[in-house]
mmCIF file of all heavy atoms in Angstrom:
data_model
loop_
_atom_site.group_PDB
_atom_site.id
_atom_site.type_symbol
_atom_site.label_atom_id
_atom_site.label_comp_id
_atom_site.label_asym_id
_atom_site.label_seq_id
_atom_site.Cartn_x
_atom_site.Cartn_y
_atom_site.Cartn_z
ATOM 1 N N PRO A 1 93.543 92.054 109.904
ATOM 2 C CA PRO A 1 94.435 93.273 109.982
ATOM 3 C C PRO A 1 93.681 94.449 109.470
ATOM 4 O O PRO A 1 92.900 94.401 108.531
ATOM 5 C CB PRO A 1 95.571 92.964 109.135
ATOM 6 C CG PRO A 1 95.535 91.473 108.744
ATOM 7 C CD PRO A 1 94.030 91.079 109.006
ATOM 8 N N ARG A 2 93.910 95.593 109.962
ATOM 9 C CA ARG A 2 93.470 96.876 109.604
ATOM 10 C C ARG A 2 94.542 97.819 109.048
ATOM 11 O O ARG A 2 95.479 98.009 109.802
ATOM 12 C CB ARG A 2 92.735 97.591 110.757
ATOM 13 C CG ARG A 2 91.452 96.850 111.283
ATOM 14 C CD ARG A 2 90.760 97.527 112.325
ATOM 15 N NE ARG A 2 90.253 98.828 111.768
ATOM 16 C CZ ARG A 2 89.652 99.658 112.489
ATOM 17 N NH1 ARG A 2 89.448 99.492 113.717
ATOM 18 N NH2 ARG A 2 89.215 100.820 111.884
ATOM 19 N N PRO A 3 94.436 98.166 107.789
ATOM 20 C CA PRO A 3 95.442 98.893 107.236
ATOM 21 C C PRO A 3 95.734 100.390 107.925
ATOM 22 O O PRO A 3 94.716 100.911 108.342
ATOM 23 C CB PRO A 3 95.100 99.092 105.757
ATOM 24 C CG PRO A 3 93.547 99.010 105.733
ATOM 25 C CD PRO A 3 93.245 98.097 106.913
ATOM 26 N N GLN A 4 96.938 100.752 107.923
ATOM 27 C CA GLN A 4 97.290 102.127 108.380
ATOM 28 C C GLN A 4 98.112 102.764 107.184
ATOM 29 O O GLN A 4 97.699 103.848 106.701
ATOM 30 C CB GLN A 4 98.059 102.153 109.590
ATOM 31 C CG GLN A 4 97.208 101.613 110.800
ATOM 32 C CD GLN A 4 98.006 101.626 112.050
ATOM 33 O OE1 GLN A 4 99.234 101.724 112.143
ATOM 34 N NE2 GLN A 4 97.234 101.481 113.121
ATOM 35 N N LEU A 5 99.189 102.220 106.828
ATOM 36 C CA LEU A 5 100.036 102.866 105.756
ATOM 37 C C LEU A 5 99.645 102.199 104.427
ATOM 38 O O LEU A 5 100.231 102.727 103.330
ATOM 39 C CB LEU A 5 101.462 102.828 106.110
ATOM 40 C CG LEU A 5 101.894 103.768 107.240
ATOM 41 C CD1 LEU A 5 103.386 103.408 107.591
ATOM 42 C CD2 LEU A 5 101.597 105.185 106.945
ATOM 43 N N ALA A 6 98.972 101.168 104.400
ATOM 44 C CA ALA A 6 98.546 100.521 103.162
ATOM 45 C C ALA A 6 97.024 100.700 102.916
ATOM 46 O O ALA A 6 96.239 100.700 103.866
ATOM 47 C CB ALA A 6 98.867 99.011 103.100
ATOM 48 N N THR A 7 96.666 100.898 101.694
ATOM 49 C CA THR A 7 95.173 101.008 101.427
ATOM 50 C C THR A 7 94.621 99.724 101.016
ATOM 51 O O THR A 7 93.420 99.463 101.114
ATOM 52 C CB THR A 7 94.913 102.037 100.372
ATOM 53 O OG1 THR A 7 95.631 101.783 99.192
ATOM 54 C CG2 THR A 7 95.363 103.446 100.840
ATOM 55 N N ALA A 8 95.448 98.756 100.557
ATOM 56 C CA ALA A 8 95.014 97.465 100.102
ATOM 57 C C ALA A 8 96.280 96.499 100.044
ATOM 58 O O ALA A 8 97.467 97.031 99.913
ATOM 59 C CB ALA A 8 94.407 97.564 98.634
ATOM 60 N N TRP A 9 95.922 95.239 99.883
ATOM 61 C CA TRP A 9 97.032 94.198 99.756
ATOM 62 C C TRP A 9 96.438 93.023 99.155
ATOM 63 O O TRP A 9 95.196 92.768 99.138
ATOM 64 C CB TRP A 9 97.668 93.896 100.969
ATOM 65 C CG TRP A 9 96.820 93.342 102.057
ATOM 66 C CD1 TRP A 9 96.440 91.977 102.204
ATOM 67 C CD2 TRP A 9 96.249 94.053 103.167
ATOM 68 N NE1 TRP A 9 95.614 91.855 103.369
ATOM 69 C CE2 TRP A 9 95.546 93.094 103.930
ATOM 70 C CE3 TRP A 9 96.289 95.379 103.571
ATOM 71 C CZ2 TRP A 9 94.775 93.449 105.104
ATOM 72 C CZ3 TRP A 9 95.590 95.736 104.653
ATOM 73 C CH2 TRP A 9 94.900 94.794 105.373
ATOM 74 N N SER A 10 97.259 92.239 98.435
ATOM 75 C CA SER A 10 96.769 90.961 97.883
ATOM 76 C C SER A 10 97.930 89.959 97.905
ATOM 77 O O SER A 10 99.063 90.371 98.018
ATOM 78 C CB SER A 10 96.403 91.202 96.363
ATOM 79 O OG SER A 10 97.411 91.590 95.632
ATOM 80 N N VAL A 11 97.553 88.693 98.055
ATOM 81 C CA VAL A 11 98.500 87.621 98.077
ATOM 82 C C VAL A 11 98.350 86.755 96.819
ATOM 83 O O VAL A 11 97.213 86.486 96.418
ATOM 84 C CB VAL A 11 98.203 86.744 99.371
ATOM 85 C CG1 VAL A 11 99.233 85.581 99.485
ATOM 86 C CG2 VAL A 11 98.305 87.654 100.637
ATOM 87 N N SER A 12 99.477 86.458 96.289
ATOM 88 C CA SER A 12 99.453 85.538 94.944
ATOM 89 C C SER A 12 98.808 84.248 95.345
ATOM 90 O O SER A 12 98.846 83.757 96.486
ATOM 91 C CB SER A 12 100.841 85.381 94.514
ATOM 92 O OG SER A 12 101.643 84.763 95.329
ATOM 93 N N ALA A 13 98.393 83.447 94.332
ATOM 94 C CA ALA A 13 97.731 82.188 94.592
ATOM 95 C C ALA A 13 98.690 81.238 95.237
ATOM 96 O O ALA A 13 98.333 80.314 96.092
ATOM 97 C CB ALA A 13 97.393 81.640 93.234
ATOM 98 N N ASP A 14 100.149 81.268 94.951
ATOM 99 C CA ASP A 14 101.044 80.426 95.623
ATOM 100 C C ASP A 14 101.487 80.926 97.020
ATOM 101 O O ASP A 14 102.285 80.152 97.687
ATOM 102 C CB ASP A 14 102.247 80.087 94.710
ATOM 103 C CG ASP A 14 103.094 81.288 94.363
ATOM 104 O OD1 ASP A 14 102.774 82.394 94.972
ATOM 105 O OD2 ASP A 14 104.055 81.209 93.761
ATOM 106 N N GLY A 15 100.963 82.133 97.413
ATOM 107 C CA GLY A 15 101.392 82.614 98.674
ATOM 108 C C GLY A 15 102.844 83.200 98.826
ATOM 109 O O GLY A 15 103.221 83.523 99.894
ATOM 110 N N LYS A 16 103.466 83.267 97.633
ATOM 111 C CA LYS A 16 104.874 83.696 97.767
ATOM 112 C C LYS A 16 105.158 85.182 97.279
ATOM 113 O O LYS A 16 106.307 85.667 97.161
ATOM 114 C CB LYS A 16 105.715 82.853 96.777
ATOM 115 C CG LYS A 16 105.874 81.501 97.328
ATOM 116 C CD LYS A 16 106.718 80.624 96.496
ATOM 117 C CE LYS A 16 106.992 79.257 96.996
ATOM 118 N NZ LYS A 16 107.939 78.476 96.044
ATOM 119 N N ARG A 17 103.982 85.958 97.076
ATOM 120 C CA ARG A 17 104.104 87.379 96.755
ATOM 121 C C ARG A 17 103.021 88.103 97.496
ATOM 122 O O ARG A 17 101.804 87.726 97.329
ATOM 123 C CB ARG A 17 104.027 87.660 95.286
ATOM 124 C CG ARG A 17 105.221 87.120 94.576
ATOM 125 C CD ARG A 17 105.034 87.149 93.091
ATOM 126 N NE ARG A 17 105.047 88.582 92.586
ATOM 127 C CZ ARG A 17 106.054 89.224 92.292
ATOM 128 N NH1 ARG A 17 107.331 88.677 92.269
ATOM 129 N NH2 ARG A 17 106.000 90.463 91.773
ATOM 130 N N ILE A 18 103.357 89.120 98.213
ATOM 131 C CA ILE A 18 102.299 89.945 98.875
ATOM 132 C C ILE A 18 102.520 91.371 98.351
ATOM 133 O O ILE A 18 103.601 91.922 98.560
ATOM 134 C CB ILE A 18 102.437 89.932 100.407
ATOM 135 C CG1 ILE A 18 102.382 88.542 100.944
ATOM 136 C CG2 ILE A 18 101.314 90.788 101.114
ATOM 137 C CD1 ILE A 18 102.786 88.284 102.492
ATOM 138 N N SER A 19 101.491 91.840 97.739
ATOM 139 C CA SER A 19 101.667 93.187 97.135
ATOM 140 C C SER A 19 100.761 94.162 97.996
ATOM 141 O O SER A 19 99.642 93.942 98.287
ATOM 142 C CB SER A 19 101.013 93.188 95.676
ATOM 143 O OG SER A 19 101.685 92.353 94.949
ATOM 144 N N PHE A 20 101.404 95.323 98.391
ATOM 145 C CA PHE A 20 100.717 96.354 99.091
ATOM 146 C C PHE A 20 100.587 97.594 98.387
ATOM 147 O O PHE A 20 101.607 98.035 97.683
ATOM 148 C CB PHE A 20 101.652 96.616 100.414
ATOM 149 C CG PHE A 20 101.746 95.536 101.349
ATOM 150 C CD1 PHE A 20 102.742 94.613 101.298
ATOM 151 C CD2 PHE A 20 100.751 95.370 102.360
ATOM 152 C CE1 PHE A 20 102.847 93.570 102.230
ATOM 153 C CE2 PHE A 20 100.839 94.355 103.298
ATOM 154 C CZ PHE A 20 101.826 93.446 103.259
ATOM 155 N N THR A 21 99.439 98.218 98.407
ATOM 156 C CA THR A 21 99.249 99.481 97.687
ATOM 157 C C THR A 21 99.360 100.456 98.960
ATOM 158 O O THR A 21 98.585 100.356 99.927
ATOM 159 C CB THR A 21 97.855 99.563 97.116
ATOM 160 O OG1 THR A 21 97.866 98.578 96.046
ATOM 161 C CG2 THR A 21 97.686 100.937 96.453
ATOM 162 N N LEU A 22 100.259 101.434 98.884
ATOM 163 C CA LEU A 22 100.481 102.329 99.925
ATOM 164 C C LEU A 22 99.666 103.622 99.855
ATOM 165 O O LEU A 22 99.407 104.076 98.759
ATOM 166 C CB LEU A 22 101.933 102.710 100.033
ATOM 167 C CG LEU A 22 103.008 101.444 100.108
ATOM 168 C CD1 LEU A 22 104.330 101.995 100.030
ATOM 169 C CD2 LEU A 22 102.695 100.676 101.238
ATOM 170 N N ARG A 23 99.321 104.091 100.978
ATOM 171 C CA ARG A 23 98.553 105.274 101.102
ATOM 172 C C ARG A 23 99.421 106.476 100.589
ATOM 173 O O ARG A 23 100.599 106.584 100.782
ATOM 174 C CB ARG A 23 98.249 105.609 102.664
ATOM 175 C CG ARG A 23 97.269 106.772 102.826
ATOM 176 C CD ARG A 23 96.894 106.921 104.318
ATOM 177 N NE ARG A 23 96.386 105.608 104.876
ATOM 178 C CZ ARG A 23 95.221 105.019 104.715
ATOM 179 N NH1 ARG A 23 94.351 105.702 103.865
ATOM 180 N NH2 ARG A 23 94.830 103.916 105.243
ATOM 181 N N GLN A 24 98.765 107.298 99.735
ATOM 182 C CA GLN A 24 99.441 108.445 99.180
ATOM 183 C C GLN A 24 99.221 109.636 100.072
ATOM 184 O O GLN A 24 98.288 109.825 100.810
ATOM 185 C CB GLN A 24 98.863 108.687 97.763
ATOM 186 C CG GLN A 24 99.164 107.560 96.832
ATOM 187 C CD GLN A 24 98.800 107.922 95.411
ATOM 188 O OE1 GLN A 24 98.756 109.032 94.958
ATOM 189 N NE2 GLN A 24 98.454 106.864 94.671
ATOM 190 N N GLY A 25 100.224 110.567 100.011
ATOM 191 C CA GLY A 25 100.185 111.799 100.823
ATOM 192 C C GLY A 25 100.683 111.631 102.216
ATOM 193 O O GLY A 25 100.640 112.746 102.909
ATOM 194 N N VAL A 26 101.317 110.629 102.581
ATOM 195 C CA VAL A 26 101.861 110.414 103.827
ATOM 196 C C VAL A 26 103.306 110.966 103.885
ATOM 197 O O VAL A 26 103.961 110.870 102.910
ATOM 198 C CB VAL A 26 101.939 108.811 104.251
ATOM 199 C CG1 VAL A 26 102.625 108.713 105.560
ATOM 200 C CG2 VAL A 26 100.538 108.239 104.242
ATOM 201 N N LYS A 27 103.618 111.681 104.960
ATOM 202 C CA LYS A 27 104.841 112.319 105.102
ATOM 203 C C LYS A 27 105.594 111.901 106.296
ATOM 204 O O LYS A 27 104.955 111.593 107.370
ATOM 205 C CB LYS A 27 104.774 113.850 105.178
ATOM 206 C CG LYS A 27 103.992 114.554 103.914
ATOM 207 C CD LYS A 27 104.908 114.832 102.843
ATOM 208 C CE LYS A 27 104.018 115.645 101.851
ATOM 209 N NZ LYS A 27 104.726 115.584 100.603
ATOM 210 N N TRP A 28 106.932 111.855 106.256
ATOM 211 C CA TRP A 28 107.658 111.582 107.370
ATOM 212 C C TRP A 28 107.789 112.788 108.335
ATOM 213 O O TRP A 28 107.356 113.979 107.851
ATOM 214 C CB TRP A 28 109.133 111.263 107.082
ATOM 215 C CG TRP A 28 109.280 109.868 106.435
ATOM 216 C CD1 TRP A 28 109.363 109.670 105.153
ATOM 217 C CD2 TRP A 28 109.251 108.627 107.214
ATOM 218 N NE1 TRP A 28 109.403 108.146 105.038
ATOM 219 C CE2 TRP A 28 109.386 107.587 106.204
ATOM 220 C CE3 TRP A 28 109.192 108.239 108.506
ATOM 221 C CZ2 TRP A 28 109.472 106.168 106.605
ATOM 222 C CZ3 TRP A 28 109.320 106.927 108.774
ATOM 223 C CH2 TRP A 28 109.426 105.893 107.910
ATOM 224 N N HIS A 29 108.284 112.741 109.429
ATOM 225 C CA HIS A 29 108.341 113.955 110.339
ATOM 226 C C HIS A 29 109.103 115.153 109.744
ATOM 227 O O HIS A 29 108.849 116.233 110.153
ATOM 228 C CB HIS A 29 108.986 113.552 111.774
ATOM 229 C CG HIS A 29 110.402 113.182 111.562
ATOM 230 N ND1 HIS A 29 110.832 111.928 111.100
ATOM 231 C CD2 HIS A 29 111.566 113.858 111.924
ATOM 232 C CE1 HIS A 29 112.089 111.909 111.078
ATOM 233 N NE2 HIS A 29 112.591 113.069 111.591
ATOM 234 N N ASP A 30 110.017 114.755 108.849
ATOM 235 C CA ASP A 30 110.802 115.866 108.272
ATOM 236 C C ASP A 30 110.147 116.440 106.925
ATOM 237 O O ASP A 30 110.824 117.181 106.249
ATOM 238 C CB ASP A 30 112.229 115.386 107.956
ATOM 239 C CG ASP A 30 112.381 114.324 106.929
ATOM 240 O OD1 ASP A 30 111.241 113.823 106.441
ATOM 241 O OD2 ASP A 30 113.404 113.756 106.665
ATOM 242 N N GLY A 31 109.007 115.937 106.571
ATOM 243 C CA GLY A 31 108.307 116.428 105.465
ATOM 244 C C GLY A 31 108.481 115.706 104.183
ATOM 245 O O GLY A 31 107.796 116.001 103.181
ATOM 246 N N GLN A 32 109.331 114.722 104.186
ATOM 247 C CA GLN A 32 109.700 113.928 103.024
ATOM 248 C C GLN A 32 108.557 112.854 102.828
ATOM 249 O O GLN A 32 107.931 112.376 103.775
ATOM 250 C CB GLN A 32 110.969 113.135 103.238
ATOM 251 C CG GLN A 32 112.188 113.986 103.278
ATOM 252 C CD GLN A 32 112.319 114.823 101.946
ATOM 253 O OE1 GLN A 32 112.275 114.247 100.883
ATOM 254 N NE2 GLN A 32 112.566 116.150 102.084
ATOM 255 N N PRO A 33 108.216 112.549 101.572
ATOM 256 C CA PRO A 33 107.135 111.562 101.346
ATOM 257 C C PRO A 33 107.540 110.137 101.795
ATOM 258 O O PRO A 33 108.721 109.695 101.697
ATOM 259 C CB PRO A 33 106.918 111.595 99.845
ATOM 260 C CG PRO A 33 108.267 112.197 99.333
ATOM 261 C CD PRO A 33 108.820 113.022 100.398
ATOM 262 N N PHE A 34 106.554 109.377 102.281
ATOM 263 C CA PHE A 34 106.651 107.956 102.517
ATOM 264 C C PHE A 34 106.444 107.177 101.192
ATOM 265 O O PHE A 34 105.450 107.376 100.575
ATOM 266 C CB PHE A 34 105.569 107.607 103.604
ATOM 267 C CG PHE A 34 105.463 106.119 103.849
ATOM 268 C CD1 PHE A 34 106.378 105.365 104.484
ATOM 269 C CD2 PHE A 34 104.320 105.438 103.344
ATOM 270 C CE1 PHE A 34 106.329 104.049 104.665
ATOM 271 C CE2 PHE A 34 104.280 104.065 103.523
ATOM 272 C CZ PHE A 34 105.162 103.412 104.173
ATOM 273 N N THR A 35 107.459 106.337 100.848
ATOM 274 C CA THR A 35 107.385 105.688 99.614
ATOM 275 C C THR A 35 107.586 104.082 99.848
ATOM 276 O O THR A 35 107.993 103.664 100.816
ATOM 277 C CB THR A 35 108.464 106.166 98.602
ATOM 278 O OG1 THR A 35 109.703 105.860 99.090
ATOM 279 C CG2 THR A 35 108.314 107.700 98.417
ATOM 280 N N ALA A 36 107.439 103.406 98.767
ATOM 281 C CA ALA A 36 107.720 102.024 98.724
ATOM 282 C C ALA A 36 109.206 101.672 99.006
ATOM 283 O O ALA A 36 109.535 100.678 99.554
ATOM 284 C CB ALA A 36 107.200 101.329 97.381
ATOM 285 N N GLN A 37 110.062 102.561 98.664
ATOM 286 C CA GLN A 37 111.442 102.357 98.830
ATOM 287 C C GLN A 37 111.681 102.454 100.383
ATOM 288 O O GLN A 37 112.646 101.784 100.841
ATOM 289 C CB GLN A 37 112.293 103.478 98.093
ATOM 290 C CG GLN A 37 112.312 103.348 96.645
ATOM 291 C CD GLN A 37 110.994 103.782 95.913
ATOM 292 O OE1 GLN A 37 110.292 104.527 96.459
ATOM 293 N NE2 GLN A 37 110.825 103.330 94.680
ATOM 294 N N ASP A 38 110.947 103.256 101.112
ATOM 295 C CA ASP A 38 111.152 103.266 102.560
ATOM 296 C C ASP A 38 110.698 101.815 103.216
ATOM 297 O O ASP A 38 111.356 101.394 104.125
ATOM 298 C CB ASP A 38 110.227 104.322 103.161
ATOM 299 C CG ASP A 38 110.765 105.756 102.849
ATOM 300 O OD1 ASP A 38 111.880 106.036 102.679
ATOM 301 O OD2 ASP A 38 109.875 106.492 102.426
ATOM 302 N N VAL A 39 109.538 101.324 102.572
ATOM 303 C CA VAL A 39 109.129 100.019 103.063
ATOM 304 C C VAL A 39 110.332 98.981 102.803
ATOM 305 O O VAL A 39 110.618 98.158 103.617
ATOM 306 C CB VAL A 39 107.832 99.545 102.350
ATOM 307 C CG1 VAL A 39 107.533 98.185 102.678
ATOM 308 C CG2 VAL A 39 106.698 100.480 102.791
ATOM 309 N N ALA A 40 110.774 98.931 101.620
ATOM 310 C CA ALA A 40 111.884 98.061 101.232
ATOM 311 C C ALA A 40 113.035 98.131 102.180
ATOM 312 O O ALA A 40 113.519 97.182 102.681
ATOM 313 C CB ALA A 40 112.239 98.182 99.757
#
């Protein structure tokens, strides 16, 4: 996979947690920031 909105990711040893580091400075069409809460 090639990241677009994430800059990095990691998977826990047991495979039950995937952590994504999101790109900073990304804005929605209305100018609001793209955040982890949007992902959730």
Side-chain angles (χ1 to χ4, degrees):
R2 295 183 63 185
Q4 292 179 348
L5 292 174
T7 59
W9 60 84
S10 62
V11 180
S12 64
D14 65 0
K16 293 184 178 183
R17 293 172 67 88
I18 306 173
S19 300
F20 294 92
T21 302
L22 303 179
R23 187 173 311 282
Q24 296 188 28
V26 175
K27 304 270 186 200
W28 288 100
H29 67 283
D30 62 0
Q32 294 298 311
F34 169 72
T35 68
Q37 289 78 18
D38 296 315
V39 172

